Amino acid sequence: MQFNDIKGFAFDLDGVIADTAKFHGQAWHQTADKVGSPWTAQLADNLKGVSRMDSLEMILKAGGHEHEYSLAQKEQLAAAKNENYLQLIKTLTPHDILPGIAVFLNELKTDGYLMSVASASKNAPTILKQLQLTDYFVGTVDPETLTAGKPDPEIFIKAAEIMHLSPKNVAGLEDSSAGITAINAAGELSIGIGTGLPAAQIKFDDTSMVTINNIKKQLK
Ligand code: BG6
Ligand code: MG
């Protein structure tokens, strides 16, 4: 893909726009302790980008507890995790936008690029509001409408549709390996943030490096 092909950007939220991935991790850690599953850095990493119920299943599986809970009990565990998470994000303000992202969003807006949000989180609209970023985006994919979560490409295909763009004219930004797989499968340009994302077509160590110019440089 050439830079001139890009007309829009589909953003993951947790770990790309806001430093909220750590709060998901903290809340899930409590769930893992509650059900007696081991909490490891690898599990924490694998949960990134994964939906609430799928994350719970992975945590139960990590301790061999996947057959010990009824659906109602699992829903309770997931609801309790979300309550903890909501407590942790209560105090989010525009100061919690990750370094460089506010500047990048303004740069994209000034240059006329479209933007949409491709987050697995049902809390995305609340978080965008707290960060005062809602108006930058044409829209946010509603994860309730998805038949499959990341790594399935559906969410990034819908994020392109919201912008009325073909995936081949879209770049997706992600901090999770499941998300990068989804972007690539959607046929979009994948921009990976952080380490351990070998499948990303463009890579940045952290959000502070994400600028139009730095993307252009890596595409040359
Ligand atoms: C993703 C996060 O963005 O959203 C995951 O990376 C999280 O960690 C998922 O589990 C679902 O979020 P929520 O807020 O709907 O529980
Ligand atoms: Mg993320």
Side-chain angles (χ1 to χ4, degrees):
M1 194 187 272
Q2 296 192 330
F3 190 81
N4 284 343
D5 295 331
I6 302 174
K7 309 276 179 245
F9 288 78
F11 283 78
D12 173 44
L13 186 141
D14 298 308
V16 170
I17 293 177
D19 197 8
T20 39
K22 64 181 184 206
F23 296 135
H24 278 295
Q26 282 175 31
W28 282 130
H29 190 167
Q30 285 190 31
T31 310
D33 289 349
K34 203 191 275 183
V35 301
S37 287
W39 182 253
T40 60
Q42 185 65 54
L43 177 60
D45 225 46
N46 291 346
L47 293 179
K48 284 187 186 163
V50 176
S51 75
R52 198 179 302 169
M53 282 311 272
D54 287 350
S55 298
L56 176 63
E57 291 294 346
M58 285 166 70
I59 290 167
L60 290 173
K61 227 179 200 161
H65 303 300
E66 66 271 33
H67 302 301
E68 293 167 19
Y69 294 86
S70 66
L71 179 60
Q73 287 170 322
K74 285 180 187 173
E75 277 167 357
Q76 252 173 22
L77 285 168
K81 180 268 172 178
N82 195 49
E83 272 164 37
N84 284 336
Y85 178 68
L86 288 175
Q87 281 302 319
L88 294 169
I89 62 165
K90 225 178 183 172
T91 56
L92 279 188
T93 69
H95 290 292
D96 298 291
I97 299 171
L98 280 162
I101 291 296
V103 173
F104 182 54
L105 292 175
N106 280 320
E107 197 180 22
L108 294 178
K109 192 176 162 185
T110 305
D111 288 5
Y113 291 98
L114 297 172
M115 296 170 245
S116 62
V117 176
S119 168
S121 173
K122 294 177 187 168
N123 296 303
T126 309
I127 293 173
L128 288 174
K129 215 183 217 173
Q130 279 178 246
L131 303 177
Q132 295 173 19
L133 292 179
T134 310
D135 293 345
Y136 282 86
F137 301 96
V138 179
T140 298
V141 179
D142 178 0
E144 305 264 21
T145 65
L146 300 174
T147 55
K150 298 169 190 178
D152 190 279
E154 188 180 7
I155 191 167
F156 279 98
I157 291 170
K158 287 201 164 159
E161 277 170 14
I162 289 179
M163 299 188 279
H164 301 289
L165 292 175
S166 155
K168 63 177 193 296
N169 300 120
V170 172
L173 292 103
E174 261 292 347
D175 68 320
S176 74
S177 149
I180 292 294
T181 305
I183 297 171
N184 288 339
E188 299 172 3
L189 175 76
S190 54
I191 303 176
I193 314 239
T195 51
L197 300 171
Q201 290 164 275
I202 286 186
K203 298 181 184 76
F204 293 109
D205 285 348
D206 59 66
T207 54
S208 69
M209 300 304 291
V210 185
T211 63
I212 292 179
N213 253 333
N214 285 342
I215 295 171
K216 274 185 188 162
K217 273 189 207 157
Q218 288 200 43
L219 273 178
K220 269 184 195 154

